[in-house]
Amino acid sequence: MAAGKIRWGELEEDDGGDLDFLLPPRVVIGPDENGIKKTIEYRFDDDGNKVKVTTTTRVRKLARARLSKAAIERRSWGKFGDAAKEDAGSRLTMVSTEEILLERPRAPGSKADEPSASGDPLAMASKGGAVLMVCRTCGKKGDHWTSKCPYKDLAGPAETVDRPPTSDGPSALGASAKGSSYVPPRLRAGAPTDSGHDMRRRNDENSVRVTNLSEDTREPDLLELFRTFGPVSRVYVAVDQKTGSSRGFGFVNFVHREDAEKAISKLNGYGYDNLILRVEWATPRPN
DNA sequence: CATGAGCGC
């Protein structure tokens, strides 16, 4: 193989890895009472088009609570612990007073005080792709649905949500006195205090409109072009729903406003694919 | 020339 030549396998892997975060999350519906399960996911095809993939599968109906061999075996075990003192059958459920210590999520960069982080189910859940519930208002995963978002319909700063508890009884006071309770980033020392900047809104404000794109410019191409200025949170190319061809304009959202400014000043009037790009601030979309 | 898609438990 010629040295320096790009292998297709590598190319594809790179593209997919870069863009996965731009796609809507996978949604699994069901299975319903007929055992029909629907999976809706999104991916980029070979041409860089965003495609919606809906899979319908029938899952085997469970034959009424089938017990594994091991579970049947466990039924013959003698009772132990507190249950051994109870007379048989009087209680099916025991109430345990055993104290169970839950690990508190740590701020990135802070030291681990216990060596058991690898087995933490919370950490695993946040890493894996098993969270289907993503709030569209604040982007939080697995916590609440969009309709239940505490930031929904909130115009100004919300004292009840943002202020740390001050009168929640002795346990809360004790926890904060030890300095171990969680402090949200915007309340930490050194956090920006400008009140005009509203972080509750989805990060649509650093939105840049790109017009005069050639027909075959797709989202991956836009990302390649704009990512040099800083972290990009979203790229979008408007596509005609009927023909599937590009409508010649798109949007790029930056995490940082300064990067969006740089991109506008450097890329507006930039020749791309035989055309002169127009790059400017996007006016926020209504609705 | 031109201002985006999605909406569930």
Side-chain angles (χ1 to χ4, degrees):
Chain A
M1 190 202 295
K5 188 135 194 188
I6 305 165
R7 281 179 295 165
W8 289 111
E10 287 173 357
L11 205 72
E12 267 173 26
E13 244 175 50
D14 282 347
D15 282 349
D18 279 343
L19 290 163
D20 277 354
F21 75 102
L22 296 166
L23 294 168
R26 193 161 73 110
V27 176
V28 179
I29 302 163
D32 63 10
E33 68 280 356
N34 299 316
I36 302 297
K37 187 177 84 170
K38 282 206 170 90
T39 308
I40 301 168
E41 53 194 334
Y42 298 82
R43 59 179 175 79
F44 288 106
D45 67 9
D46 295 340
D47 299 326
N49 294 311
K50 193 179 344 188
V51 290
K52 179 178 180 177
V53 184
T54 308
T55 334
T56 307
T57 46
R58 183 196 295 275
V59 294
R60 186 173 60 87
K61 267 199 216 173
L62 287 177
R64 183 177 294 271
R66 271 186 59 188
L67 293 172
S68 69
K69 237 180 156 184
I72 295 168
E73 213 273 320
R74 284 198 291 275
R75 291 194 154 181
S76 65
W77 290 2
K79 296 198 183 222
F80 56 90
D82 290 344
K85 299 193 277 283
E86 300 279 325
D87 43 285
S90 72
R91 268 214 265 172
L92 291 172
T93 308
M94 298 296 299
V95 176
S96 170
T97 55
E98 184 189 352
E99 225 177 303
I100 298 176
L101 298 169
L102 298 178
E103 228 175 286
R104 203 187 298 271
R106 264 178 281 103
S110 67
K111 285 209 189 71
D113 38 20
E114 261 138 16
S116 56
S118 57
D120 183 358
L122 266 178
M124 285 163 72
S126 63
K127 251 198 243 171
V131 181
L132 302 174
M133 186 171 65
V134 179
C135 174
R136 290 190 311 281
T137 300
C138 72
K140 217 173 165 190
K141 284 182 193 164
D143 190 62
H144 53 256
W145 295 98
T146 306
S147 56
K148 298 283 158 61
C149 179
Y151 299 142
K152 204 184 184 180
D153 304 324
L154 240 52
E159 287 85 343
T160 48
V161 176
D162 290 337
R163 245 211 295 269
T166 50
S167 59
D168 278 1
S171 61
L173 286 171
S176 53
K178 267 186 252 166
S180 61
S181 57
Y182 173 74
V183 179
R186 53 185 298 264
L187 293 178
R188 283 175 203 158
T193 51
D194 58 329
S195 51
H197 193 72
D198 190 354
M199 291 301 281
R200 265 163 293 279
R201 276 283 185 216
R202 200 165 43 159
N203 196 23
D204 264 352
E205 57 265 356
N206 303 325
S207 186
V208 171
R209 179 180 53 138
V210 188
T211 50
N212 212 28
L213 291 171
S214 69
E215 284 284 289
D216 42 40
T217 302
R218 298 290 152 169
E219 279 153 6
D221 309 314
L222 270 197
L223 177 67
E224 277 313 303
L225 189 58
F226 281 83
R227 66 185 306 179
T228 58
F229 299 95
V232 167
S233 55
R234 192 180 71 122
V235 292
Y236 178 86
V237 168
V239 164
D240 188 281
Q241 286 300 102
K242 289 199 287 281
T243 66
S245 60
S246 166
R247 292 170 64 194
F249 68 93
F251 297 89
V252 178
N253 286 22
F254 283 91
V255 177
H256 308 295
R257 189 182 172 84
E258 317 84 77
D259 296 336
E261 270 163 5
K262 271 190 285 175
I264 290 170
S265 65
K266 298 276 186 202
L267 249 34
N268 188 27
Y270 177 88
Y272 184 75
D273 242 18
N274 308 325
L275 293 168
I276 305 294
L277 286 188
R278 260 178 66 174
V279 183
E280 49 212 327
W281 289 112
T283 57
R285 183 161 39 106
N287 175 53

